Amino acid sequence: MLKEIFAIWYLIGAALVFFMQAGFAMVEAGFTRAKNAGNIIMKNLMDFCLGTVAFLFVGYALLCGNDAGHGLIGWLPILKGPLFDFANTDWSLFVFNLVFCATAATIVSGAMAERTKFISYCIYSFVISLIVYPIEAHWVWGPDGFLTALGFHDFAGSAVIHYAGGLTALIGASLLGPRIGKFNKDKTPNGIPGHNLTIGALGVFILWFGWYGFNGAAATNGRMLATIFSTTTVAPAIATVTVMIFTWLKYGKPDVALSLNGSLAGLVAITAGCDVVNVMGAFIIGILSGFNVCFFTWFLDYKLHIDDPVGAVPVHFANGALGTVCVGLFGCNTASKVVGLFYGGGTRLLLVQILGLLAIGVWTAITMTITFVAIKKTIGLRVTPEEEIIGLDKLEHGLESAYAGFAFETELSQGEVYDEKDYAPVKLDTVPVTDYSKKDGKITKVVIVTKPERFGALKDEMNKIGVAGLTATRVSGCGLQKGSTTYYRGAKVDMKLLPKLKVEVIISKIPTETVVNAAKKALYTGEMGDGKIFIYDVEDVVRISSNTTGVDALDYDKD
C-alpha cells in the first residue's frame, strides 16, 4: 500500500516539475522587456513540446534504455521504444524523465533572451532534448550509468540539469553577444531592467513550489520526503537572506531582482544533496549559494562581459557546480554511504563529484558548441539590430504587443550601445544634402519625426555637431503607408497608426543645414518610413531661471 502511495506521489512530483515551466516563463518574461514577452512565452512553450518529440523518438532510449557501452549510453530498439511499444513501456519513468529533460532545455532561453532567432532557438532546444541531456543523464540516472557506479551522487539534478543547462546558456550567450545597450564602448555594463518584476517574483514562487516535487518526487518513504522538504526550504531561504544583506551593504538598498535570483540559487545548490545533507548543511549551502550568485553576476558583467538578461548562468551553472561539490563536503547519510569530507568520509566522494562535473561539462561544452557554431554559420543565431530594437514579438511573431490594452513606458535606444556598421541599411553615400541659409540671431526649431529604433543613431549625430539639448517624445502616426496589418490568432488586426518618435531641437548658433544633414545621415535609407523634418522660425525664447530672452536664453556659456 505504501509503495503504491509513493508511486502516485512520483507522478504528482512529475506534475509539479511540469508546472515549473510556468515559473520559468514568468521569471524570464518579467526580467526582460515587454516587447519580447510573447517571444519568451513561445520559447518556453516550445521547450516542452519540442522536447516531448525529441524524448519520445530518441531521448528516452538514450537515457533509460539498457546499457549499450560501459555505462556511457543506453539504447532501446525502435520497436521496443515508447512510440511503438505501449504495453511494455514504463510510463511513470517516461513522464518523470521527460519533465526533467524539458527543464534542462528551458534554462538556456533566459540567458539568450531578446536577441535570438526563434527558429535557431527551436533547433538547439531540440538538440538538447534529443541527445545532450539524455546521454549525460544516463551516466547518473540510467540503469548502468558509469558515474553512479563510481559513487557520484546527484539526487535531483544540480549537475545533470542545472549545471549542464547553465553551461549551455553560458556558451550560447557568449557566442551570441550582448544585447544592444548592455555594454558601453569601454565595456562597462548598463542595467536593463525587466518590464514586470511582479511577474518575475510570481515565477520564483511557482518555481519554489514546484521544486518540492523536483527534489522530493523520488523519495521512497515519509521521513525521507520530510527531510528533503526541509532542506529544500532552508537552503533557498538562507540564500535569499544572504543576498538581501549583501546587496543592502554593498549598494545601500536591498536588491529585489538579485534577491529573487538568490532564492533560485539556493534551490539549485541544494538539489544534488537534498536527501543526504542535514539542515545545518543546507544552512551553509544556502549562505554559499547566496554569495555565489552575487559574485558570478558581477563576474559576468564586469569581467567576462557576457550578457545574461535573467541571470540563468549565475543561478544554474555556478550553483549547480557548487551544489554538486557540496555533496562531497556536507553529505552525512551513512545509510546510503554518501558521507562527505566534513563528516569523516574523506576526499574520495569529493573527488568523484568533481570528476562528474568535469565529465558532464566536457560532454555538454563540446556538443553544444558544435551545435551553436553550426547554427551560427548556417541560418544564424541572432536577429538583426532592427528586429532587436523593435522587439521580437512584432518581427518574429507578428504580435504588436503581448499586453494589448495596457501601456508600458519603454526605453529609447541610447548612444554608445551599437556599432553603426551593424545598423544597415543606411546608405550614407547617397544621402541628399540640403542647403539652407541662416541669418545671425535667428532662432530655429527643427522637428524630426522618424522610427523609434533610430534614436541612438540620431542622438549620436546631434552630439557630434554640438547640439546641447533635445526633446524626444513617443507619438503615433502614419503617412502614405496607412499603417500595417498584423495578425492575432489568425485574425487580421488592422493597425491604423504606427509608433513614431518626435525629436525637437532649438538652435541659434548651429546652422540649420548642419542639423538637417546630420539628421539625414542618421536616418536616411531611401525607403518609405525614414521620416520627415519640419523647420520653424521661433519668435522668441524665455529662460525661466534667469529671465533672459532670445538667443541669450539658449546660450548656457554666459551663465
Side-chain angles (χ1 to χ4, degrees):
M1 181 65 181
L2 187 61
K3 185 177 180 180
E4 290 183 1
I5 291 173
F6 274 92
I8 294 171
W9 160 247
Y10 189 66
L11 290 174
I12 293 173
L16 289 173
V17 176
F18 170 76
F19 187 48
M20 290 173 71
Q21 293 289 331
F24 280 113
M26 293 300 97
V27 169
E28 292 171 23
F31 281 15
T32 53
R33 289 168 288 189
K35 62 186 180 181
N36 299 309
N39 177 260
I40 294 291
I41 298 302
M42 188 68 170
K43 286 176 178 176
N44 278 268
L45 174 65
M46 296 316 298
D47 274 328
F48 187 81
C49 297
L50 288 172
T52 298
V53 176
F55 200 69
L56 186 65
F57 276 93
V58 175
Y60 177 79
L62 294 174
L63 198 165
C64 301
N66 297 325
D67 181 56
H70 306 289
L72 294 175
I73 192 171
W75 188 245
L76 289 172
I78 296 297
L79 294 179
K80 291 186 178 296
L83 193 62
F84 296 100
D85 193 356
F86 180 82
N88 296 310
T89 297
D90 186 340
W91 291 107
S92 295
L93 192 66
F94 174 85
V95 171
F96 187 77
N97 282 285
L98 169 60
V99 294
F100 275 83
C101 180
T103 300
T106 297
I107 290 168
V108 185
S109 64
M112 300 176 67
E114 301 201 292
R115 72 268 199 211
T116 304
K117 287 183 178 181
F118 182 69
I119 181 62
S120 301
Y121 181 83
C122 289
I123 292 171
Y124 72 70
S125 178
F126 188 79
V127 171
I128 292 170
S129 298
L130 188 74
I131 56 171
V132 179
Y133 168 80
I135 289 178
E136 52 99 2
H138 177 82
W139 301 345
V140 180
W141 295 336
D144 299 292
F146 86 95
L147 286 178
T148 299
L150 292 174
F152 183 80
H153 186 85
D154 185 7
F155 186 74
S158 286
V160 174
I161 295 172
H162 299 285
Y163 170 73
L167 179 57
T168 301
L170 177 62
I171 295 167
S174 178
L175 290 173
L176 190 62
R179 290 169 293 173
I180 294 172
K182 177 59 181 177
F183 295 105
N184 296 315
K185 291 178 181 178
D186 61 359
K187 297 295 185 180
T188 55
N190 296 307
I192 305 179
H195 80 283
N196 195 325
L197 202 56
T198 305
I199 286 179
L202 175 62
V204 170
F205 281 112
I206 291 173
L207 286 171
W208 195 332
F209 174 73
W211 227 288
Y212 290 115
F214 195 92
N215 284 359
T220 55
N221 59 69
R223 178 173 176 79
M224 183 180 182
L225 181 61
T227 57
I228 289 173
F229 268 49
S230 298
T231 55
T232 303
T233 301
V234 170
I238 300 305
T240 308
V241 172
T242 301
V243 174
M244 180 194 71
I245 294 173
F246 177 82
T247 56
W248 206 333
L249 293 174
K250 183 172 177 61
Y251 306 114
K253 302 287 184 182
D255 189 296
V256 179
L258 201 52
S259 294
L260 290 169
N261 272 352
S263 301
L264 299 180
L267 288 163
V268 169
I270 198 59
T271 293
C274 60
D275 65 320
V276 294
V277 303
N278 58 27
V279 169
M280 178 57 71
F283 190 97
I284 297 172
I285 290 170
I287 294 174
L288 294 175
S289 60
F291 281 117
N292 197 31
V293 74
C294 292
F295 168 76
F296 219 85
T297 299
W298 169 86
F299 189 65
L300 278 186
D301 275 353
Y302 287 90
K303 297 301 179 181
L304 298 181
H305 309 299
I306 293 175
D307 184 16
D308 179 357
V310 305
V313 175
V315 168
H316 298 280
F317 170 72
N319 285 286
L322 173 69
T324 305
V325 171
C326 281
V327 173
L329 299 174
F330 301 105
C332 60
N333 192 320
T334 55
S336 60
K337 298 181 181 180
V338 181
V339 182
L341 178 64
F342 296 150
Y343 287 84
T347 60
R348 186 185 184 282
L349 177 60
L350 178 61
L351 294 175
V352 169
Q353 296 297 108
I354 295 172
L355 175 64
L357 284 176
L358 289 174
I360 293 170
V362 169
W363 166 252
T364 303
I366 291 174
T367 53
M368 289 313 302
T369 299
I370 292 172
T371 301
F372 284 130
V373 170
I375 294 172
K376 191 173 183 178
K377 296 294 185 182
T378 52
I379 62 174
L381 268 176
R382 186 164 183 152
V383 298
T384 65
E386 179 187 16
E387 290 172 316
E388 182 178 343
I389 292 174
I390 293 175
L392 303 188
D393 284 3
K394 182 177 179 64
L395 297 183
E396 284 272 69
H397 305 284
L399 183 66
E400 199 65 38
S401 172
Y403 295 95
F406 292 86
F408 289 94
E409 275 193 36
T410 54
E411 82 293 335
L412 291 175
S413 175
Q414 300 298 312
E416 276 201 333
V417 302
Y418 65 93
D419 291 326
E420 189 169 305
K421 60 183 175 58
D422 294 332
Y423 250 92
V426 178
K427 306 167 187 173
L428 300 182
D429 294 339
T430 61
V431 175
V433 177
T434 305
D435 184 24
Y436 286 95
S437 60
K438 184 177 183 306
K439 298 179 181 179
D440 291 339
K442 182 180 179 182
I443 302 173
T444 304
K445 178 180 181 180
V446 179
V447 178
I448 305 162
V449 179
T450 188
K451 300 174 183 177
E453 59 268 23
R454 297 302 301 172
F455 178 67
L458 178 61
K459 182 172 177 287
D460 274 1
E461 292 300 325
M462 293 298 107
N463 286 337
K464 289 177 183 177
I465 63 174
V467 172
L470 53 81
T471 301
T473 309
R474 286 189 178 274
V475 295
S476 298
C478 65
L480 294 176
Q481 69 268 37
K482 301 297 183 184
S484 62
T485 300
T486 57
Y487 295 85
Y488 178 67
R489 293 165 76 174
K492 288 185 178 180
V493 180
D494 191 15
M495 298 298 297
K496 297 299 183 184
L497 298 177
L498 299 173
K500 299 285 185 180
L501 180 71
K502 181 170 73 172
V503 177
E504 299 173 287
V505 178
I506 306 296
I507 53 175
S508 60
K509 293 182 177 180
I510 303 173
T512 304
E513 64 184 85
T514 301
V515 176
V516 172
N517 289 325
K520 285 183 177 179
K521 181 181 178 183
L523 306 175
Y524 179 79
T525 67
E527 300 172 0
M528 185 172 290
D530 284 348
K532 294 181 177 66
I533 301 173
F534 303 91
I535 301 164
Y536 306 88
D537 288 336
V538 177
E539 184 174 337
D540 203 355
V541 177
V542 179
R543 196 196 309 177
I544 296 174
S545 61
S546 61
N547 202 37
T548 52
T549 61
V551 174
D552 290 340
L554 300 176
D555 190 355
Y556 286 86
D557 293 335
K558 291 186 177 182
D559 289 346

